Amino acid sequence: MRGGGLWQLGQSITRRLAQVDKKGAGRRYFASEAELKKTVLYDFHVANGGKMVPFAGWGMPIQYKDSIMESTVNCRQNGSLFDVSHMCGFSLKGKDCIPFLEKLVIADVAALTPGTGTLTVFTNEKGGAIDDSVITKVQNDHMYIVVNAGCRDKDLAHIEEHMKAFKAKGGDVSWHIHDERSLLALQGPLAAPVLQHLTKDDLSKLYFGEFRMTDINGAHCYITRTGYTGEDGFEISVPSENAVDLAKAILEKSEGKIRLTGLGARDSLRLEAGLCLYGNDMEQHITPVEAGLTWAIGKRRKAEGGFLGAEVILKQLAEGPKIRLVGFTSTGPPPRSHSEIQDEKGTTIGEITSGGFSPCLKKNIAMGYVKSGSHKAGTKAKILVRGKAYDGVVTKKPFVPTKYYKSS
Amino acid sequence: MHFLNSLAVVKDFKYAESHEWVKVDGKTATVGITDHAQDHLGDVVYVELPEVGAAVNQGSGFGAVESVKATSDIYSPVSGDVVEVNEDLNNSPGLVNSSPYEKGWIMKVEIKDDSELTNLKNSDEYAKFCEEEDAKH
């Protein structure tokens, strides 16, 4: 291993995780500690053994005292608490906020029941993904939206541009970026029982995708029953001045079973759950159809269009996309982003976009794009790692079964 | 930036700045990566071993160690021919983490030129080198 290379190791970890923001990336990776943004939990992470690394312009914990593998396994056995305050939460308000938003995303926003949310994609004129996002209808005149940290500047500029045009035509929409709030993600089987100790609200009635504004540990929070791990859990938006106390309360109530968990394990967990990481599995030139998110395109939207890039997307729905995102398991070293995928004869058929060793399954898992026709589960392939070809097979996602709390 | 500080070095081994160790026994050298290296890498999930019979050169890459999140090339601290590789690492790559200086050894090399060993650090020099490296970050 190269001398100084261990520092570069930390860099390569963040390079792998932080490809969400290539513009200005060089500047950010080598930003001094003073230039990195800090969440209100920064000192709390350090005090708890957090290894801090630069991520999308923020100083974030990649792991704590336990290893990434241990952390990942613990999330599914007990639970994990993540600080995801670097992500950007904002509200769209106004009586026309729904038609405004519908121009920018593929979801059937109008059909969402108040108090429910969904994963969606912000598209560009070519039908490509600007970002993926969880959008929630609070009321018919209030949408609560969370976007990726690495895409914050890009997304907000995009929305602002469209908002100006929309308002110029007389549309009633305004926004507020929730920089006064912090975001915690609580995931795993103990998430609900532990959180229940801290709120009077009956969490057993809050199902996957549902949203509520409620008091937790005495703080006015927004909670959504959702996450990025495949486990049952919540994303909790809390006023920043209450964030550290809430984190402490959650950890204490769990008697140490729920652990502070970093971005390293977060990446392993989402890969095991077959979830896309924007910047790796989805980019500006990839459509939601190619990325396997056709289910997220509202039925009415498929019929009517009316969002950026609809013509491209509707055409792909009719004819089938030329490439598709699929899962892989493989032998040998773990495939990494940009590993070439070949068919059994050695012809290139695609490229890996995310890969690693699954701590829970104890085997390699990966996601990548292959040309249509080679995408069926069970298709044998070769994956090139450092010049050598290893056996791989197209595998259905999620790799680890999900545990979303759904009403039967 | 903060890094965990768990530094173990073995007195009689020699060390490269690229964090490999070598234990010399006559003409045979056993090679692995240091405790410092495995600690920074995290859980090792795969080790790319060299072929028995392959020639290695001091300072040149001879394989790779994969952790959950990243790949690291490993560089030979000695020149010579590979006479044995640790096949246990195929099924138990974690030995590199749990026993970096013993059970987690990677390869054995028949050395051609032991004067090259003077290019390496002793345990005190290596320990100091690691402290300085960590302090920079």
Side-chain angles (χ1 to χ4, degrees), chain A residues 148-317:
Chain A
N148 282 304
C151 297
R152 177 188 167 121
D153 294 345
K154 177 180 66 162
D155 291 354
L156 296 183
H158 172 71
I159 293 166
E160 191 172 20
E161 187 192 325
H162 283 271
M163 199 181 292
K164 280 203 179 111
F166 190 80
K167 286 166 91 154
K169 290 192 197 136
D172 175 19
V173 65
S174 64
W175 64 349
H176 170 72
I177 322 283
H178 290 294
D179 286 331
E180 76 284 2
R181 294 185 150 264
S182 296
L183 195 63
L184 300 179
L186 177 60
Q187 303 279 300
L190 296 179
V194 166
L195 199 62
Q196 187 64 82
H197 285 302
L198 301 173
T199 182
K200 291 202 174 71
D201 229 305
D202 182 0
L203 296 177
S204 73
K205 302 279 192 321
L206 186 70
Y207 295 100
F208 179 68
E210 292 179 2
F211 168 95
R212 236 175 249 174
M213 289 190 177
T214 189
D215 266 21
I216 304 187
N217 199 44
H220 182 61
C221 295
Y222 310 159
I223 54 172
T224 311
R225 197 147 194 163
T226 189
Y228 196 44
T229 61
E231 296 297 313
D232 179 29
F234 306 85
E235 288 193 353
I236 308 166
S237 166
V238 54
S240 291
E241 62 268 25
N242 304 122
V244 175
D245 284 340
L246 178 58
K248 283 183 181 164
I250 290 169
L251 298 172
E252 274 160 33
K253 278 283 176 236
S254 80
E255 292 168 359
K257 292 213 168 97
I258 292 182
R259 291 185 211 158
L260 279 171
T261 306
L263 297 182
R266 189 167 166 81
D267 190 41
S268 290
L269 288 158
R270 69 93 194 165
L271 184 59
E272 288 182 337
L275 299 171
C276 290
L277 173 61
Y278 188 84
N280 281 39
D281 313 299
M282 252 204 301
E283 287 192 70
Q284 302 265 117
H285 59 280
I286 304 273
T287 71
V289 181
E290 292 161 341
L293 296 176
T294 297
W295 62 265
I297 308 174
K299 194 165 167 211
R300 174 178 57 87
R301 314 305 312 276
K302 284 179 194 166
E304 296 177 0
F307 51 89
L308 295 174
E311 318 74 51
V312 174
I313 289 174
L314 264 40
K315 185 159 185 265
Q316 283 187 347
L317 287 174

Side-chain angles (χ1 to χ4, degrees), chain A residues 372-395:
Chain A
S372 290
S374 301
H375 65 279
K376 298 240 161 71
T379 304
K380 291 196 185 151
K382 298 268 181 213
I383 303 179
L384 266 59
V385 181
R386 285 192 300 282
K388 281 202 202 140
Y390 296 91
D391 290 330
V393 66
V394 177
T395 306

Side-chain angles (χ1 to χ4, degrees), chain A residues 63-73 259 265, chain B residues 42-43 68:
Chain A
Q63 65 184 90
Y64 297 81
K65 294 194 188 111
D66 55 346
S67 71
I68 292 175
M69 292 239 280
E70 287 166 346
S71 220
T72 304
V73 170
R259 291 185 211 158
Chain B
D43 298 303
V68 175

Side-chain angles (χ1 to χ4, degrees), chain A residues 79-159:
Chain A
S80 286
L81 182 64
F82 303 89
D83 175 10
V84 287
S85 306
H86 59 314
M87 296 210 290
C88 178
F90 61 97
S91 283
L92 280 181
K93 288 189 172 175
K95 69 168 173 46
D96 301 321
C97 72
I98 290 168
F100 169 69
L101 186 59
E102 285 212 341
K103 177 144 190 245
L104 306 178
V105 302
I106 58 179
D108 185 349
V109 187
L112 281 176
T113 313
T116 63
T118 182
L119 173 72
T120 192
V121 178
F122 281 84
T123 51
N124 58 37
E125 311 270 332
K126 297 208 173 99
I130 291 178
D131 198 2
D132 62 355
S133 163
V134 175
I135 59 169
T136 303
K137 179 179 285 184
V138 182
Q139 297 288 358
N140 283 317
D141 60 358
H142 180 187
M143 294 295 301
Y144 169 64
I145 300 169
V146 181
V147 294
N148 282 304
C151 297
R152 177 188 167 121
D153 294 345
K154 177 180 66 162
D155 291 354
L156 296 183
H158 172 71
I159 293 166

Side-chain angles (χ1 to χ4, degrees), chain A residues 332-375:
Chain A
R336 305 289 186 185
S337 193
H338 305 304
S339 295
E340 192 182 313
I341 307 170
Q342 294 176 345
D343 64 16
E344 288 190 282
K345 297 197 202 98
T347 314
T348 305
I349 56 170
E351 185 180 283
I352 297 288
T353 50
S354 284
F357 185 79
S358 162
C360 297
L361 301 172
K362 302 270 182 273
K363 59 184 184 189
N364 296 332
I365 56 175
M367 303 203 294
Y369 285 89
V370 291
K371 55 179 205 215
S372 290
S374 301
H375 65 279

Side-chain angles (χ1 to χ4, degrees), chain B residues 73-132:
Chain B
D73 292 315
I74 37 182
Y75 300 87
S76 184
V78 291
S79 304
D81 296 317
V82 179
V83 293
E84 205 185 327
V85 297
N86 187 356
E87 303 278 0
D88 287 343
L89 295 180
N90 286 326
N91 287 327
S92 307
L95 290 171
V96 172
N97 298 112
S98 56
S99 181
Y101 297 114
E102 279 185 88
K103 299 203 183 106
W105 67 274
I106 298 175
M107 66 171 179
K108 293 194 181 177
V109 176
E110 195 181 287
I111 325 178
K112 291 277 154 74
D113 180 8
D114 51 19
S115 67
E116 275 187 334
L117 295 171
T118 56
N119 299 334
L120 302 172
K121 297 187 188 307
N122 66 31
S123 57
D124 291 330
E125 289 166 342
Y126 175 67
K128 186 152 182 285
F129 171 75
C130 288
E131 270 175 40
E132 287 168 0

